[in-house]
Every structure is written in structure tokens, then in C-alpha cells.
Amino acid sequence: MSVRKLNVLTCELDESLDRAGFRHAAAAIGQRIGAERLGAAVYDAEAGHPIWPYHYHCAAEEWLYVISGAPVLRDAGGERTLRSGDLICFPAGHLGAHTVHGPGRFILFSTDAPGPYIAAYPDSDKVAVAFDDAAVDVLMLPRSAAVDYWYGEGSEPPSDPVVVRREPAASGRPVVNALTVPLRSQAAMLGPELGAAQLDVTVLQLDPGHGSADYHYTYGREEWVLVLAGTPALRHSNGEDALEAGDMVCFPDGPAGAHRLINRSDRAARVVFLATTGFPANVCYPDSGRWSLRNGPDAEDVIL
């Protein structure tokens, strides 16, 4: 049985938006590859048309990877043109405010956030709240409508209007190009460099005859891989599959997510791994029966 994979270069975009000047074609890909903890969508954007309003999320972290073209990013630092391979993290809160317009194709990743969906739109000073996972029924209100917590409760009279404070000034988000970033020991860990808190991202180069970490699976983490260049082979719980540039695969937590990449070709391959964070994260290496138990960010791994 083949692994569930999707090629972000060629996948059909079956969703669209054309409203109030916001325009895009898109395809949600998380469920298609069996993901549960991360969401992602591929977007095609036109020049001059942002794909959605300038916004940030109050709990979820988002990441952008540019596939092709020259999309224009707007963040707290203003507007700038991106290029293929650029990778950016938008953390939760006002530091992650952003929107993007074309021309170009790119991927937006989003971490799972507990509780209701909450987003803020600084241009119009609105807040959106949704209480279902699909964020279909969205309640959007101007922040100027805020009232004191006790307003209308019990016998207290109306209070003075609540003063709504705007976000402090912020600078533009750092950008790293995954296709050209220098590697140390054939890898570059980008999460800390890009200000991430909810996602670990690593660019890895596989020279001919070399592979990624030993065949393993993890309890407590979901991991994705996107092939940037080359044709690595993927060993998984049901056998082995050949991958090519643009292929994306999800490895769920537990034995179903067991995996290892091996480069059997005569040319180097480059991939990017994305993994959820959080502890404990217990890693099993089935070939040797070894376990590595990770109980905290500063705790030493316990090897069994």
C-alpha cells in the first residue's frame, strides 16, 4: 500500500475566493494526507490581489513557504517581494500580522490551537471569533464595541466605555530561503531563528547513499516532509515509495507514522521537515527496539 502524498507543484486547486478585492484559488491539503495536528493549504495568488485581509491569530502559529513566482508579503515592516524557497513564521499574536498577494504559488501552514478560533484585523480594528473547528460561523465585532466584564450583570449600573489599546509597534518578520540556507552537518534548524514556538522546522540535505534519522516514529508529535529537490525514497510502515520535488507527506504520531528518507540516487536531495512541538515526545526506533523519551525542552533524553 502506497503512502498518502500530495504534490504541491501540480495539485488541483478546488477552492476559490473573489470578494471585496480579496482573491485566490486554493486547495486544503492537511486532511488529504492524513494530518490531524497541522493544517495547510496551497494558494495561487494574482498580482495586486491579497488572498485575505491583513490579520493575526491569537493562538495559532502560521508559516509561509513560497513555491514559485514573486508573491508580495505585507507584515509589520511593510511590503516586500519574496522568492521561491522563502520560509517565514508568523507567531501567534500581533507580531504575526500578515497578508500576501501575488503573483505566485505558496503554502500556508497552521498549527492547531485549543479553544475558539480568534483572529484580529488591525486595518478595521475588528476581532473575529468562531466556536467550531471549521470556523464557519464567525462572529466579527469592532473592538470599539468592548464593554466592561460586569456590564449588564446583576445590579451594577453601566460603566464607562472600555479603552481598547492597539498593538505596539513591531518589525518585519525574518525570512530564510530553504533552497539556499547554509547547512551545518547537512541540516539547518530554522524554528528558533524564525521566532517559532509551536512548530519545529528543519532543512535537511541528503547526499547520495545517505538518509535521514534512523527509521522511527514518535508518540506526541506529528511530522510532515516536503521535498524541495531530488528524488529520495521514503521507507514507511507499509513499504517504500519514491518521492520527487513538490511531494508532501504527513507522518502521524504512533506506529502509523514510522518513516525514514534514503537517497538512492546519484544527486543530492533537499527536504524540509515540519514537526509539532510539546512534551512528552517519545521516539521509538523499531529496527533496534530503542526508545528515546523526551519529557521537556531542557530535560535530557532518557534512552531505553
Side-chain angles (χ1 to χ4, degrees):
M1 179 179 177
S2 298
V3 70
R4 294 172 66 179
K5 62 182 178 181
L6 180 143
N7 193 286
V8 299
L9 304 178
T10 60
C11 65
E12 180 182 355
L13 306 184
D14 54 5
E15 303 173 15
S16 63
L17 173 71
D18 189 357
R19 180 182 178 187
F22 304 107
R23 186 179 299 171
H24 66 250
I29 60 178
Q31 291 185 343
R32 298 188 191 187
I33 58 174
E36 296 183 356
R37 299 190 180 191
L38 287 177
V42 177
Y43 289 89
D44 267 352
E46 299 179 20
H49 289 279
I51 61 172
W52 17 236
Y54 185 63
H55 73 287
Y56 63 83
H57 296 279
C58 293
E61 180 175 288
E62 292 187 300
W63 284 68
L64 168 71
Y65 177 76
V66 179
I67 299 172
S68 61
V72 177
L73 167 69
R74 177 192 168 195
D75 62 8
E79 289 192 347
R80 51 190 154 149
T81 301
L82 304 176
R83 60 193 177 109
S84 298
D86 280 350
L87 193 60
I88 307 154
C89 170
F90 306 112
H94 77 281
L95 297 179
H98 67 283
T99 190
V100 189
H101 65 74
R105 174 175 281 215
F106 45 87
I107 312 172
L108 261 298
F109 300 94
S110 179
T111 60
D112 187 24
Y117 163 95
I118 302 175
Y121 298 84
D123 287 349
S124 59
D125 206 29
K126 293 188 180 73
V127 175
V129 181
F131 295 94
D132 64 321
D133 292 338
V136 174
D137 297 321
V138 178
L139 177 65
M140 185 170 288
L141 298 170
R143 285 195 285 186
S144 59
V147 297
D148 181 88
Y149 178 76
W150 295 108
Y151 178 78
E153 307 290 341
S155 59
E156 280 200 15
S159 60
D160 293 332
V162 174
V163 176
V164 178
R165 301 184 185 278
R166 294 299 301 264
E167 298 84 350
S171 57
R173 302 299 306 162
V175 178
V176 169
N177 191 279
L179 299 175
T180 60
V181 61
L183 308 180
R184 295 185 60 184
S185 300
Q186 304 299 84
M189 301 181 65
L190 302 181
E193 182 175 349
L194 295 180
Q198 301 176 18
L199 203 62
D200 283 333
V201 175
T202 302
V203 175
L204 186 66
Q205 179 167 307
L206 304 176
D207 289 333
H210 290 253
S212 61
D214 290 346
Y215 185 65
H216 70 281
Y217 61 84
T218 306
Y219 282 106
R221 299 281 175 90
E222 180 174 286
E223 193 169 7
W224 293 31
V225 67
L226 171 63
V227 179
L228 305 181
T231 55
L234 168 63
R235 178 188 172 190
H236 54 85
S237 58
N238 292 312
E240 188 172 296
D241 279 83
L243 302 181
E244 61 183 12
D247 280 346
M248 178 170 282
V249 182
C250 170
F251 308 115
D253 71 349
H259 65 279
R260 186 184 189 221
L261 294 181
I262 306 168
N263 187 2
R264 304 191 192 284
S265 74
D266 57 0
R267 299 180 62 184
R270 182 171 284 221
V271 302
V272 58
F273 279 100
L274 306 95
T276 58
T277 58
F279 296 94
N282 300 324
V283 186
C284 176
Y285 299 88
D287 292 344
S288 64
R290 181 169 59 93
W291 283 82
S292 176
L293 310 183
R294 302 171 180 172
N295 294 312
D298 299 321
E300 292 186 7
D301 291 359
V302 177
I303 306 299
L304 300 177

